[in-house]
Amino acid sequence: MTEQHQRPLRMVPPPPQIYRFCVIVPKPLTKTIKTALELRGKLDKSSKISPLRTDAASQENYLLQSGFTPHPDACLIPTTYAIALHSAPSAQRVLDAVASVLSRVLHPPDPTAIHLALDLESLPPALPQLHRHSLLCHAIQHWLSTLPAPLLHTLPPISSLLALHPWTYTIHPPLLLLPPRTFTSPPWPALLAGPLAAHLPALHTHICASLSVTHIALNAPIPLHTAPSAALNTLRAPTALTPLYGPFGAREPASAAAFARAFWVRAAQHGVQQTWAPLHTMFARGNVREKARLLRLGALRPERLGCGPGGCTAVDLYAGIGYFAFCYARAGVGRVLGWEINPWSVEGLRRGAGMNGWGVRVVLGGEEEDGQGVGVGQAEGNGDERLLVFQEDNQRAGARVDGMRTRVPPVRHVNCGFLPSSAPSWPVAVRVLDPALGGWVHAHENIAVGDIESRKAAIVARFDALTNPPDAAHAARLVRCEHLERVKSYAPGVVHCVLDIHIAPCAERARAS
C-alpha cells in the first residue's frame, strides 16, 4: 500500500468501567438507610450488608470520599446506583459530587453520619442502571453536552448529574409524562432554577425530538381534596399534574367549546383505543391487567351465560373514559350501560367509542330516554349505539335500568371499579342485575395483604345480605366469590383486588341446599 493510500489508525478509546456505589453508615443507622434504599428500589439485594473492614488490604477495594476516615463500627450497604468511568481521578471527582447529593436523597437522621464509597470491582457492562436504553437519559445527556463550555465547567460532571435518577417515563401520544421525582434530587432544582434556566427551552426541544412527542408534563398523585376549598375530589381530577412544555389549554369548566380547545392524548391497550384530556381526567394505566382479564373472562362465555355475549348487557357504574366499558364492548357484549359524573371523562368516553368504531349516546342527568331506550344526548360512532352513558350519579342506575328491562338484553355483569372502595355502589349493583338470571358483580377494593381472606368473607356476606334481605319476596339465592384477582400493589402492604361475586338464579340455591 502506498503512503498516500494509508489511513491513520483510528484510536478507539477503551470502554468505560462500571462501578457500584455503596453507602457507609454507623451500625445504629444501618436499618434506617437500608429501608430508605429499599423504598426507592436502590438496595442491591444480590450482595449482603457487611461490616466495613478498615485494614489497608480491604480499603484498596473501595474508593472513599475525600477526607473521610471510616469509623471502626461502620457498615457497608451495597446499592444499585452505578456509574461508568474511565479513570480514577474522574472517579474521585464524581464520588465527592454524588456523596453530598445522596445524603439529601435518603434523608438520614444525621446527614453527616453517612458517606459514600465506590466499589472498585468493575461490574458487568450489561448492568441496566446506566439507562443506556433510556431515550430520555440520552436526550438530557446530549443537551448537557451542548451547553456553553464556560457554563459546563461550572457544573458537576454530567455522569454524576445523571447517576441518581432512574429517568423513567410514560408516553401517551403526543404527551411525555415524567414521574413526580424527576429533577428533584439535588443539585437539579437549584441548577434548573439558576444557571440552566435560560437553557430549558433547548432541553424541552431535545426531549421532544428524541421521544417524538409535542408536550411534556410532570405527573403527580391524584389529590384526595381539591384546593382551595378542600372539598373531596370525587371527580378524581388530576389537579396536581404540572405542564412543562406545549399548549395544554386551561383548567376550565366542561363545555363543548372547552372540549374543542383542550389538549387530548390517547393510549391503546389490548387493541382498545382510549383518549382523555390530561388536565381534567386521570388515566389509570395500572388497570391494564384487569382489562386483559375482562377480555377473556370465562363468565362471558356462552356456557356460563346461556347465550352468546351479544345476548346480554353489562353495566359499568364508574365508567370513566371507558376503562372497563370498552372491554365489554370489545368482548362482544350486546349493550353496555355506563354511569359517570365527570363530564370530561364522559367526553373522553364518547370520543374513544368513536375511535373504536362503536356507537355511543350520552344522556345528561335529568334527561329522559326516548321510547327506544336511547338517550336524547350527543351521539358518536357508527349509529348502532352499543354504549349508552348516563352523565349522573350512579345511585340513579337502579331506576334507570328498571325502566329499560324490556328494551335491553338481560344485565348479567356489573363493574364497580372505584378505589379505595366501591362499597357504596354494591346495593345498586345487586339491584340492576337481572332478577331472574342473576349474574356477576366485579367489586374493586383495596385490601391489606394480611386481611385478604377475612375481607373476602366479609364482602361475600355483605352481598348475600343485599341479595337475600329478610323481607325478600323471592327464594334465597346463592352468593359466592368465584375468583379474587390481585390486580396491583396500591400502597405498601395494600393490594388492589377485584372480587368476582356470582349471584345465582333462585333455582341454583335450592339445588345447593
Side-chain angles (χ1 to χ4, degrees):
M1 180 180 291
T2 60
E3 185 174 348
Q4 61 266 32
H5 293 294
Q6 291 181 356
R7 295 180 180 177
L9 291 177
R10 184 182 179 187
M11 300 301 294
V12 178
Q17 298 299 302
I18 301 175
Y19 302 98
R20 175 182 61 186
F21 288 110
C22 298
V23 183
I24 302 172
V25 299
K27 191 172 182 180
L29 284 180
T30 301
K31 185 175 181 180
T32 300
I33 301 304
K34 171 180 176 287
T35 301
L37 288 166
E38 278 185 311
L39 289 174
R40 290 161 177 79
K42 294 300 181 182
L43 179 68
D44 185 357
K45 297 182 179 180
S46 66
S47 302
K48 292 183 178 180
I49 298 174
S50 60
L52 178 66
R53 297 176 59 183
T54 56
D55 57 276
S58 296
Q59 289 195 30
E60 288 180 357
N61 296 325
Y62 296 94
L63 181 66
L64 305 181
Q65 284 178 237
S66 300
F68 167 60
T69 302
H71 193 276
D73 72 345
C75 289
L76 196 69
I77 305 179
T79 79
T80 58
Y81 291 120
I83 198 164
L85 299 168
H86 285 92
S87 64
S90 64
Q92 189 68 64
R93 288 198 305 273
V94 169
L95 180 64
D96 294 341
V98 173
S100 63
V101 173
L102 189 64
S103 64
R104 282 172 279 180
V105 171
L106 297 179
H107 304 294
D110 179 7
T112 65
I114 73 169
H115 297 82
L116 205 62
L118 204 62
D119 188 344
L120 295 179
E121 182 180 353
S122 180
L123 297 172
L127 196 72
Q129 282 76 20
L130 291 181
H131 329 297
R132 279 184 291 273
H133 301 296
S134 170
L135 294 177
L136 175 62
C137 182
H138 281 224
I140 296 170
Q141 185 177 26
H142 183 259
W143 167 70
L144 288 168
S145 68
T146 62
L147 293 174
L151 173 59
L152 192 58
H153 290 325
T154 67
L155 303 178
I158 291 177
S159 53
S160 67
L161 287 173
L162 299 175
L164 291 181
H165 267 299
W167 304 117
T168 56
Y169 58 88
T170 302
I171 292 179
H172 299 306
L175 171 67
L176 170 68
L177 202 55
L178 300 175
R181 290 183 172 271
T182 306
F183 294 121
T184 58
S185 296
W188 277 108
L191 292 176
L192 294 178
L196 298 182
H199 300 274
L200 282 178
L203 169 62
H204 296 147
T205 301
H206 272 84
I207 291 175
C208 287
S210 297
L211 282 79
S212 300
V213 297
T214 59
H215 294 64
I216 305 173
L218 194 66
N219 205 2
I222 302 297
L224 293 177
H225 299 87
T226 58
S229 65
L232 191 64
N233 185 12
T234 55
L235 299 185
R236 292 294 192 263
T239 56
L241 182 137
T242 305
L244 298 179
Y245 184 75
F248 281 75
R251 285 188 167 100
E252 57 182 324
S255 68
F259 296 153
R261 287 190 295 265
F263 169 60
W264 294 83
V265 302
R266 63 188 185 276
Q269 295 178 322
H270 308 299
V272 177
Q273 301 288 329
Q274 292 180 292
T275 186
W276 67 101
L279 281 189
H280 304 276
T281 308
M282 63 172 286
F283 179 73
R285 60 192 293 258
N287 285 328
V288 62
R289 173 173 175 169
E290 180 62 9
K291 293 175 183 177
R293 191 177 76 93
L294 283 183
L295 289 170
R296 60 176 188 274
L297 194 65
L300 286 172
R301 294 174 182 168
E303 57 266 30
R304 299 300 310 279
L305 290 171
C307 63
C312 76
T313 295
V315 170
D316 189 345
L317 292 176
Y318 300 94
I321 62 171
Y323 295 117
F324 304 121
F326 286 179
C327 293
Y328 290 117
R330 173 53 60 90
V333 170
R335 201 75 184 274
V336 181
L337 311 180
W339 272 262
E340 175 57 45
I341 59 174
N342 185 343
W344 285 94
S345 296
V346 172
E347 176 65 10
L349 189 154
R350 189 184 69 84
R351 293 180 179 216
M355 291 165 60
N356 287 287
W358 301 317
V360 60
R361 186 171 292 275
V362 175
V363 179
L364 301 180
E367 288 184 349
E368 298 299 327
E369 304 137 73
D370 63 21
Q372 301 303 311
V374 297
V376 295
Q378 191 172 10
E380 179 75 28
N382 60 15
D384 69 356
E385 291 172 357
R386 176 98 69 88
L387 293 101
L388 178 58
V389 183
F390 296 89
Q391 187 178 304
E392 62 186 12
D393 193 308
N394 60 24
Q395 294 302 306
R396 297 192 61 190
R400 290 277 196 186
V401 172
D402 284 346
M404 300 171 63
R405 296 277 187 200
T406 60
R407 302 193 301 270
V408 298
V411 176
R412 305 300 306 282
H413 284 266
V414 183
N415 205 288
C416 305
F418 190 82
L419 297 176
S421 174
S422 62
S425 67
W426 297 347
V428 177
V430 172
R431 177 178 172 179
V432 300
L433 274 179
D434 186 88
L437 299 174
W440 292 261
V441 177
H442 306 283
H444 293 239
E445 194 82 356
N446 281 347
I447 305 177
V449 173
D451 298 337
I452 288 179
E453 289 304 315
S454 61
R455 286 289 295 137
K456 173 182 171 182
I459 291 170
V460 170
R462 172 63 175 150
F463 273 96
D464 189 81
L466 291 169
T467 305
N468 302 299
D471 58 348
H474 59 76
R477 293 187 287 172
L478 180 66
V479 177
R480 60 193 178 93
C481 179
E482 284 194 346
H483 176 73
L484 185 147
E485 181 74 14
R486 301 189 185 199
V487 178
K488 62 181 184 294
S489 173
Y490 187 85
V494 178
V495 181
H496 170 192
C497 298
V498 178
L499 293 86
D500 296 340
I501 305 295
H502 182 242
I503 299 176
C506 299
E508 191 167 318
R509 179 79 174 220
R511 288 197 300 269
S513 299

